[in-house]
Amino acid sequence: MTIVAVHGIGNHLSGRSPEQAAAELAGQWQPKLQHGFTAAGLGDQPLPALHVAYYAHHTHAAERQTAVPDLSSIGEREQPVVLAWALALGAPTLHERQGLITAPLRQVLSWVSRRRKIPIGVVIRLAVQLAREVHRYLHIPQVRAAARSAVAESIRRVRPQVVLAHSLGSVVAYEALHAHPELTVDCFVTLGSPLGMPGGIFEHLVPAPLADQGARPAGVRYWVNLADTGDLVAIPHRLGDRFPVDQHAETPIGRIDFHTFGAYLSSPLTAAAIAPFVRNPIVLDHTGKS
């Protein structure tokens, strides 16, 4: 019984090889998953081995080290990602929208901070990470190809029953599974996913959505989407309006710890969603049918 975890933004570990980074993250997240199983009343069930598909060495760009996130590090080509994210976080009036589109970035993020009642420092940190990694993944072809290949190779090597894909990792895993239809997964779980984010991500997906709908990867047997009710990256929370999701659930995690992979793994909802697949894995034949 195995699980592949596909990390999201902000998980680059400097000074480690990709193999070392994957092992270190797995060591951090395995106890979180155990906590979730215990909280769900499944503590007596054998815990699946957690393997991490690490791709951050491809999406990470060298940057000047600062004590606090620096908005000046967001380049002009990266700013549309942040603006699309900010607009998607609320339902601005036409007047607000027109003003935000032309406003300085700090003013836009201050609007998000006030509207969502989230500290401005948290909003800026997320904006910087999103701008750097999402832009590099979606708009630098060699980065996108390398990240998808890294995730696909992990799934091919481990052959997991479950793939847990968090944040930007849900986008990378979605595209990797589409690019490699021979890879079969009993349960695909997207956590804090921005797959449906209008303007910034949805329209840039490969394969391109048809009639405003994304497609299920051919090898995915069952798809679960989980979102924290306060997650600023899971936009929109419900993917079912744009993707063929089989099960959706929302859970409050916390005002500050609302988008970490560890928090999602610790949730009993995550454990309950994957328990049937790791306890009684579905066996797929060569056609992808059970």
Side-chain angles (χ1 to χ4, degrees):
M1 299 187 296
T2 56
I3 293 174
V4 162
V6 187
H7 66 77
I9 59 175
N11 280 290
H12 180 256
L13 300 182
S14 61
R16 285 84 150 179
S17 69
E19 295 76 18
Q20 290 171 332
E24 185 170 331
L25 290 174
Q28 293 175 14
W29 290 334
Q30 186 89 35
K32 302 287 187 180
L33 189 62
Q34 177 66 71
H35 180 274
F37 269 67
T38 301
L42 300 167
D44 58 343
Q45 180 171 320
L47 189 67
L50 186 71
H51 300 262
V52 172
Y54 184 77
Y55 65 87
H57 54 305
H58 298 300
T59 56
H60 174 80
E63 69 240 13
R64 177 170 54 88
Q65 296 298 317
T66 57
V68 295
D70 186 358
L71 284 181
S72 66
S73 67
I74 299 178
E76 184 176 347
R77 290 179 297 178
E78 299 167 338
Q79 290 185 17
V81 171
V82 178
L83 181 59
W85 170 63
L87 292 175
L89 278 171
T93 64
L94 179 60
H95 177 73
E96 280 181 316
R97 185 178 182 87
Q98 290 172 337
L100 288 170
I101 288 173
T102 58
L105 205 54
R106 181 171 289 277
Q107 183 177 328
V108 173
L109 297 182
S110 294
W111 176 83
V112 171
S113 174
R114 294 193 302 273
R115 194 176 189 88
R116 288 303 185 100
K117 297 180 174 59
I118 299 292
I120 184 63
V122 174
V123 175
I124 290 175
R125 174 177 57 80
L126 272 176
V128 170
Q129 291 177 342
L130 280 169
R132 290 170 178 166
E133 297 194 53
V134 172
H135 174 81
R136 281 180 60 79
Y137 178 76
L138 291 179
H139 301 290
I140 302 180
Q142 61 269 33
V143 169
R144 192 178 204 156
R148 288 195 332 193
S149 293
V151 170
E153 181 53 35
S154 290
I155 296 172
R156 189 188 312 281
R157 184 181 69 253
V158 176
R159 300 180 66 185
Q161 283 76 43
V162 175
V163 169
L164 297 172
H166 174 240
S167 184
L168 176 60
S170 67
V171 179
V172 183
Y174 174 84
E175 293 194 344
L177 288 167
H178 267 296
H180 297 273
E182 74 280 5
L183 298 177
T184 57
V185 176
D186 291 351
C187 185
F188 179 44
V189 184
T190 47
L191 304 165
S193 174
L195 269 167
M197 185 188 296
I201 292 179
F202 182 71
E203 294 80 1
H204 300 286
L205 292 174
V206 177
L210 296 176
D212 207 36
Q213 293 292 308
R216 181 200 298 266
V220 170
R221 176 70 173 81
Y222 195 80
W223 185 346
V224 177
N225 182 65
L226 303 178
D228 174 22
T229 51
D231 196 331
L232 297 188
V233 178
I235 305 170
H237 285 167
R238 294 191 65 86
L239 290 184
D241 293 337
R242 286 186 156 182
F243 296 90
V245 173
D246 296 295
Q247 178 185 339
H248 172 83
E250 297 181 28
T251 180
I253 290 178
R255 288 182 55 79
I256 302 300
D257 194 26
F258 56 75
H259 187 63
T260 66
F261 203 177
Y264 275 105
L265 292 175
S266 296
S267 169
L269 278 181
T270 302
I274 67 176
F277 298 92
V278 297
R279 181 172 53 227
N280 299 305
I282 298 171
V283 178
L284 302 179
D285 63 22
H286 68 280
T287 67
K289 297 179 180 179
S290 59

